[in-house]
Amino acid sequence: MDGQRRRAMAARWLLLLLLGVADCGGILHVHGQVDNLGFINLDCGLPESAAGYVAGLKYLIRAKFWYGNYDGLDRAPVFDLHVGVNYWTTVNISNANTPVIYEIITVVPGESVQVCLVNTGSGTPFISALDLRPLKNGLYPMANATQGLVLHTRANFGRDDGVILRYPDDPHDRFWIPMSKRAEWTEVSTDKKVQNIDDDSFDAPSAVMQTAITPVNSSSPVVFSWDAEPSTSNPDPGYVCILHFSELQPLPVNAVRQFYVTLNGQLWLGKGFTPQYLYTNAVFNSIPNHGYHQYNVSLNATANSTLPPILNALEIFSVLPTTGITTATQDVSAIAAIRGKYQVKKNWMGDPCVPKNFAWKGLGCSYAVSSPPSVTALNLSSSGLSGNLSSSFAGLKGLQYLICHAIISRAQFLTPCRSCRRSHF
Ligand SMILES: *[C@@H]1O[C@H](CO)[C@@H](O)[C@H](O)[C@H]1NC(C)=O
Ligand SMILES: *[C@@H]1O[C@H](CO)[C@@H](O)[C@H](O)[C@H]1NC(C)=O
Ligand SMILES: *[C@@H]1O[C@H](CO)[C@@H](O)[C@H](O)[C@H]1NC(C)=O
Ligand SMILES: *[C@@H]1O[C@H](CO)[C@@H](O)[C@H](O)[C@H]1NC(C)=O
Ligand SMILES: *[C@@H]1O[C@H](CO)[C@@H](O)[C@H](O)[C@H]1NC(C)=O
Ligand SMILES: *[C@@H]1O[C@H](CO)[C@@H](O)[C@H](O)[C@H]1NC(C)=O
Ligand SMILES: *[C@@H]1O[C@H](CO)[C@@H](O)[C@H](O)[C@H]1NC(C)=O
Ligand SMILES: *[C@@H]1O[C@H](CO)[C@@H](O)[C@H](O)[C@H]1NC(C)=O
C-alpha cells in the first residue's frame, strides 16, 4: 500500500507557496490574499501568485471541494487531505453538485502552513477554495500543539429561515448551520444582544445565541446524538462536544431554569447548570470521549427547575493527534535552495522527510528519537542537473551520501563531487 500510495502521490499542494501539481497535468496557481481582517482566502483557479506568512498561532482552516464533474469523468475522486505533516481527512464526495467542506482548528507551529492533497490512487485531487482564519490562542483550548479539532457539526438552534450565519455575524467566520426544527422542540429568541463572558473560550456570536430551542413538553429532556466515524488512520476517534447556552427570557423571581448535562449517561458538571440571562456560557468536555459507536447527549431539568432545558448552539469535533515534528529547519532551507537552484523536477513538495512514507523521492532521511529528522542522503542522478555545485549542500549537516549521476561520494569530501559538477551538473 505504501509503495502504491507513494507512486500515486502526486498533489502535495502548498498553501502560501506557488507550486505545481504533477499529476494534474499542469500548474495549480494559487492566489492568496490577506485582507484587512487578517483573513486569508485562496481561490484555487485564479492566476498569479502571492505569498503571505503566518506566525506560530491557532487557525481555523476550511477547505471546500465542489466536483461538479469538472473533468467530465462523472466520477468524483477520493483522496487524502493533510495539514502540515499530519493526515487530516479523506475527501470523499458523494454528490457532484454539492460542495463538501472540511474544517480543522489547529495550531500552526511554524511561519507557514501547508495543506496537501494526496493522491491515493482513486482519481486526481482538486480543491475549490481554502480559507484560513486566525484565532486568538485562548480560543478552543483543546486545540493545541499535539491535537487539532476536526469539525463534525456546528449547529445553530431556533432559527428556521435556513440562513447560515458566518462573518460578519461571527468575527471568526465560522459557519453556523441552522438545525431544522423538530416537532418536540419550540423556538425561543430575543432581539437583545447576547454578550460573551470575560475570557470566553469560544466567542459564540450574539446572532447565533439569540435563538434557541426548548422542549414542547416541559418535562421532557432535550436529546441529540451522533455516531462515531472511525477511519483506518483514526480507528477510535475522540470527540469534544461544546454546548453553548444563554437564557433568553427575563425570568420571574420564582422561576428557575436548571438542568443536567449527560453524555451516554455520565453527568458532566456534577451539578445542575443555569444559563445566564443574555450572557453566553459553554459546557464542554476538555478531555475527549472515546470508545463508543454512538454518543447521546441529554439535557434534563433538575428537580428544582421550574423551566425546561434550553439549547442555543453546539459544536462537535473529533480530535486529531498532531505532531509538530518536521525536518530540521536548516535542512529544509538547504534542500529548498537546492530544489530552486537546480530546478529539480522531482515531486518535491511539503516537508522533505515527514511523513516518512511521503519523504521526497531521492532523499534519505534519518529519524533519530532525540533530534528532528534530517537529510542524510541525496540522489540527484535522474534530475538532469546542470550548473555549479551549490553551496547549499553545505547546509545539509547530516548529509553522508550525495549521488550525482551514479557517482557516490562521501559528502564530507565534497571535493570529489566536483568532478560530478564538471561532468554531469
Ligand atoms: C466513499 O464513499 C462511498 C459512499 O459513501 C463509499 O462507498 C466508498 O467506500 C468511499 N470510498 C472510500 C475510498 O472511502
Ligand atoms: C493538548 O491537550 C490534550 C488534552 O487536554 C493534552 O493531553 C495534551 O497534553 C495537550 N498538549 C499540549 C502540548 O499542551
Ligand atoms: C411530557 O413528558 C412526560 C415525561 O417524559 C410524560 O410523562 C408526559 O406524558 C408528557 N406529556 C405530554 C402532554 O406529552
Ligand atoms: C443512545 O440512545 C439510543 C436511543 O435512545 C440507544 O438505542 C443507544 O443505546 C444509546 N447509546 C448509548 C451509547 O448510550
Ligand atoms: C436524562 O434523560 C434521559 C432521557 O430521558 C435519561 O435516560 C437519563 O436517565 C436522564 N438523566 C438524568 C440525570 O436525569
Ligand atoms: C434545589 O434547591 C434546594 C433548596 O434551595 C437546594 O438545597 C439544592 O441544592 C437544589 N438542588 C440543585 C440540584 O441545585
Ligand atoms: C538514484 O536514483 C536513480 C534514479 O531514480 C536510481 O536508478 C538509482 O538506483 C539511485 N541510486 C541509489 C544509490 O539509490
Ligand atoms: C560556476 O561558478 C563559477 C565560479 O564561481 C562562475 O564563474 C560560473 O559563472 C558559475 N556557473 C554557473 C552556470 O553558475
Side-chain angles (χ1 to χ4, degrees):
M1 181 58 184
D2 273 354
Q4 187 201 333
R5 280 170 74 112
R6 186 201 286 244
R7 269 197 309 282
M9 190 207 70
R12 299 188 80 193
W13 181 87
L14 309 180
L15 179 67
L16 305 182
L17 296 172
L18 184 68
L19 50 102
V21 182
D23 249 14
C24 297
I27 301 288
L28 178 64
H29 292 282
V30 175
H31 185 68
Q33 216 162 26
V34 183
D35 63 21
N36 55 9
L37 299 162
F39 289 178
I40 301 173
N41 301 296
L42 297 177
D43 269 315
C44 308
L46 289 180
E48 267 315 300
S49 71
Y53 287 96
V54 297
L57 287 174
K58 199 170 280 187
Y59 284 88
L60 180 157
I61 301 174
R62 187 166 47 217
K64 182 169 145 185
F65 303 88
W66 194 346
Y67 174 55
N69 195 21
Y70 78 94
D71 53 5
L73 296 175
D74 212 11
R75 200 179 60 231
V78 178
F79 53 93
D80 286 352
L81 207 52
H82 287 224
V83 58
V85 298
N86 300 290
Y87 168 86
W88 166 4
T89 192
T90 297
V91 178
N92 187 352
I93 298 153
S94 50
N95 185 337
N97 296 315
T98 308
V100 180
I101 292 172
Y102 297 90
E103 183 193 303
I104 187 168
I105 294 174
T106 185
V107 169
V108 170
E111 291 209 312
S112 65
V113 62
Q114 303 161 359
V115 173
C116 298
L117 316 180
V118 180
N119 188 329
T120 51
S122 304
T124 303
F126 72 97
I127 188 165
S128 309
L130 194 60
D131 299 336
L132 189 60
R133 306 288 180 241
L135 297 178
K136 283 176 287 185
N137 251 332
L139 288 177
Y140 296 95
M142 315 81 137
N144 62 26
T146 50
Q147 64 182 28
L149 300 177
V150 176
L151 185 67
H152 179 285
T153 302
R154 180 177 290 121
N156 181 14
F157 290 85
R159 198 176 170 116
D160 246 357
D161 57 6
V163 171
I164 296 173
L165 290 182
R166 56 177 296 189
Y167 187 85
D169 291 302
D170 183 345
H172 308 296
D173 195 29
R174 289 163 292 189
F175 291 179
W176 298 87
I177 312 296
M179 198 73 170
S180 39
K181 188 174 172 292
R182 292 193 206 154
E184 69 263 31
W185 294 342
T186 180
E187 295 177 349
V188 287
S189 65
T190 182
D191 293 335
K192 298 196 167 64
K193 181 175 160 63
V194 179
Q195 320 246 9
N196 293 108
I197 55 165
D198 289 345
D199 302 323
D200 192 320
S201 296
F202 305 105
D203 264 2
S206 179
V208 168
M209 297 304 292
Q210 280 172 324
T211 60
I213 54 100
T214 66
V216 174
N217 178 343
S218 61
S219 327
S220 295
V222 170
V223 292
F224 63 89
S225 66
W226 74 93
D227 293 333
E229 289 173 358
S231 64
T232 40
S233 64
N234 206 354
D236 179 23
Y239 286 92
V240 163
C241 178
I242 305 161
L243 305 168
H244 302 279
F245 298 113
S246 172
E247 182 57 72
L248 301 181
Q249 297 164 332
L251 303 187
V253 220
N254 293 328
V256 178
R257 192 192 301 280
Q258 190 189 50
F259 49 88
Y260 296 114
V261 178
T262 60
L263 184 124
N264 285 358
Q266 286 175 300
L267 194 57
W268 261 11
L269 294 171
K271 58 181 169 62
F273 174 80
T274 297
Q276 264 182 280
Y277 180 54
L278 298 183
Y279 274 88
T280 171
N281 211 329
V283 175
F284 59 96
N285 58 324
S286 38
I287 299 177
N289 274 86
H290 281 271
Y292 293 94
H293 297 300
Q294 190 181 38
Y295 293 88
N296 293 337
V297 173
S298 172
L299 313 178
N300 307 39
T302 67
N304 285 359
S305 189
T306 62
L307 292 164
I310 190 171
L311 179 57
N312 306 62
L314 75 83
E315 293 171 275
I316 300 165
F317 296 93
S318 64
V319 169
L320 184 78
T322 59
T323 169
I325 297 170
T326 54
T327 302
T329 323
Q330 73 272 19
D331 285 19
V332 174
S333 314
I335 203 80
I338 290 165
R339 176 181 59 191
K341 173 148 171 72
Y342 298 109
Q343 311 262 303
V344 176
K345 301 276 196 307
K346 292 173 191 281
N347 187 16
W348 280 12
M349 292 179 221
D351 187 279
C353 298
V354 187
K356 208 170 178 173
N357 53 337
F358 291 137
W360 289 359
K361 204 166 159 253
L363 290 198
C365 296
S366 79
Y367 299 90
V369 179
S370 53
S371 55
S374 66
V375 178
T376 52
L378 186 53
N379 178 354
L380 295 170
S381 67
S382 65
S383 300
L385 305 182
S386 63
N388 288 343
L389 190 60
S390 169
S391 59
S392 305
F393 286 106
L396 297 169
K397 302 289 184 224
L399 191 65
Q400 292 174 332
Y401 293 98
L402 177 62
I403 301 162
C404 314
H405 204 86
I407 297 172
I408 301 175
S409 315
R410 294 289 293 184
Q412 290 96 311
F413 311 110
L414 271 178
T415 321
C417 206
R418 291 193 190 281
S419 63
C420 163
R421 175 194 81 194
R422 277 195 296 274
S423 52
H424 306 293
F425 271 33

